[in-house]
Amino acid sequence: MMARMPILPSKPTDPAGVDRLERGAMLEFARRIKRCKEAYIDALGRIPGEPVVNKNYTFRLDPFLLTSVLAAAGLEVESQLQSGGPENVWFFELYVSAAYARGTAQQYANISQQSPAYSAGQDSLATIIRSDPYRRRVALVAAREYEEMQGLTGTVKANMSRILTDGIGRGLNPKVIAKGLTTQAGIEASRANRIARTEIPTALRRARLDEAEEAQERYGIASKEMHYSALSPTTRITHAKRHGNLYTIEQQREWWAEGANSINCKCSTITVLVNEKGEPVVPAIVERARQTEKIMKAKGRGPWATEE
């Protein structure tokens, strides 16, 4: 029986297929961080102050009041960024878990098309999602995202508290302090956007690799991962150079774990069945990836396209 072609991304510039999820997460982050900013501006309003002749302000403040208002603002930050708790923090529940499920679905369709043994053994996507191995893998992802939200929470609290207390200590006009809080909220939103652009595609890629590994272990399937870059104007040269090349699952995991390779990365991988020599069973899959690269390179999309 003739081997069937692996499934390539329908949109080469978004090989992971998570652009919409990322945009949704960024909008939600913006909404939540705005509420965090408002909590600190409300805290500022609870501290009595009055202007003095040199245009600075004198704030009538005692240590208990400062501790109280900062604690209340901090609780609001925790409520916004860590809601759902360790097992179902909102970012995981609404966005990352969806990306992981999507990656599993993509991989199920891809390997099923290539391997009759896998197709017969994994009778449905629902069966995979209900399985213990899947649930264990998802639990690890959930723990990772809660740690991310804890880190973001700590950063937001520290930076917003610093601006508030520094402004009060310097006797700045409350409007100036509020403006500083607004500016910092924008910085925190940018940091959150990077988390969304990193963690959502990472979850999808991880799901694909996890399922490929499961297929190897359970069904003895020989496969490799073909790196598939977005080849967009922002694609890094080192990422574009991997496009169409084959790697083991472990090599691919290690590469994404190095330095900043996974940060803001839109790349994905395509699991490709290989023969005893490690060559694709369907060699045309590599040719198709190379052809896409030639087309995108001809358009001059970004610095990578000028590399020889």
Side-chain angles (χ1 to χ4, degrees), residues 9 24 67 98 134 148 167 204 208 227 229 267:
T67 300
Y134 181 88
E148 284 287 337
L204 182 135
R208 293 184 67 105
H227 194 101
S229 174
C267 301

Side-chain angles (χ1 to χ4, degrees), residues 2 6 39 59 81 85 147 159 164 186 188 239 280 289 296:
M2 183 178 294
F59 292 92
L81 300 181
E147 289 181 2
N159 289 337
L164 178 61
E188 304 303 341
H239 291 224
M296 301 300 282

Side-chain angles (χ1 to χ4, degrees), residues 153-169:
T153 297
T155 300
V156 171
K157 288 166 65 174
N159 289 337
M160 300 298 267
S161 295
R162 172 181 52 80
I163 289 171
L164 178 61
T165 56
D166 181 65
I168 290 171

Side-chain angles (χ1 to χ4, degrees), residues 106-307:
Q106 291 173 355
Q107 193 65 293
Y108 170 73
N110 180 46
I111 302 179
S112 291
Q113 177 158 300
Q114 299 177 75
S115 170
Y118 176 87
S119 181
Q122 301 283 50
D123 59 349
S124 72
L125 178 61
T127 300
I128 296 174
I129 291 175
R130 289 196 300 266
S131 70
D132 288 337
Y134 181 88
R135 290 177 179 177
R136 286 193 294 269
R137 299 192 309 245
V138 167
L140 291 174
V141 177
R144 171 190 171 100
E145 301 317 320
Y146 186 66
E147 289 181 2
E148 284 287 337
M149 290 304 99
Q150 282 184 308
L152 181 61
T153 297
T155 300
V156 171
K157 288 166 65 174
N159 289 337
M160 300 298 267
S161 295
R162 172 181 52 80
I163 289 171
L164 178 61
T165 56
D166 181 65
I168 290 171
R170 293 167 58 193
L172 298 180
N173 188 304
K175 291 182 179 180
V176 174
I177 299 175
K179 184 178 180 180
L181 291 169
T182 298
T183 299
Q184 187 61 41
I187 295 171
E188 304 303 341
S190 296
R191 184 177 287 111
N193 288 347
R194 188 176 72 172
I195 290 174
R197 290 193 300 264
T198 299
E199 294 300 314
I200 290 172
T202 291
L204 182 135
R205 294 190 294 258
R206 181 171 181 172
R208 293 184 67 105
L209 295 177
D210 285 347
E211 190 58 28
E213 198 166 54
E214 182 82 1
Q216 288 183 353
E217 294 173 356
R218 290 189 63 184
Y219 303 103
I221 294 172
S223 66
K224 285 189 175 181
E225 300 298 312
M226 185 178 74
H227 194 101
Y228 204 95
S229 174
L231 303 176
S232 66
T234 58
T235 294
R236 284 162 273 187
I237 293 172
T238 52
H239 291 224
K241 285 183 175 180
R242 293 174 67 87
H243 184 81
N245 295 334
L246 299 182
Y247 304 92
T248 66
I249 292 173
E250 190 55 33
Q251 286 172 333
Q252 197 64 44
R253 289 192 196 277
E254 289 176 356
W255 183 79
W256 265 313
E258 291 175 0
N261 283 342
S262 67
I263 296 175
N264 289 330
C265 177
K266 297 171 71 68
C267 301
S268 188
T269 57
I270 311 299
T271 297
V272 176
L273 267 60
V274 297
N275 57 27
E276 63 278 1
K277 296 180 180 180
E279 301 167 339
V281 174
V282 182
I285 189 67
V286 175
E287 290 303 316
R288 287 185 61 180
R290 298 295 186 198
Q291 186 60 32
T292 299
E293 182 181 13
K294 289 179 182 178
I295 293 171
M296 301 300 282
K297 196 167 189 176
K299 295 179 179 180
R301 296 173 59 87
W304 68 270
T306 62
E307 284 287 303

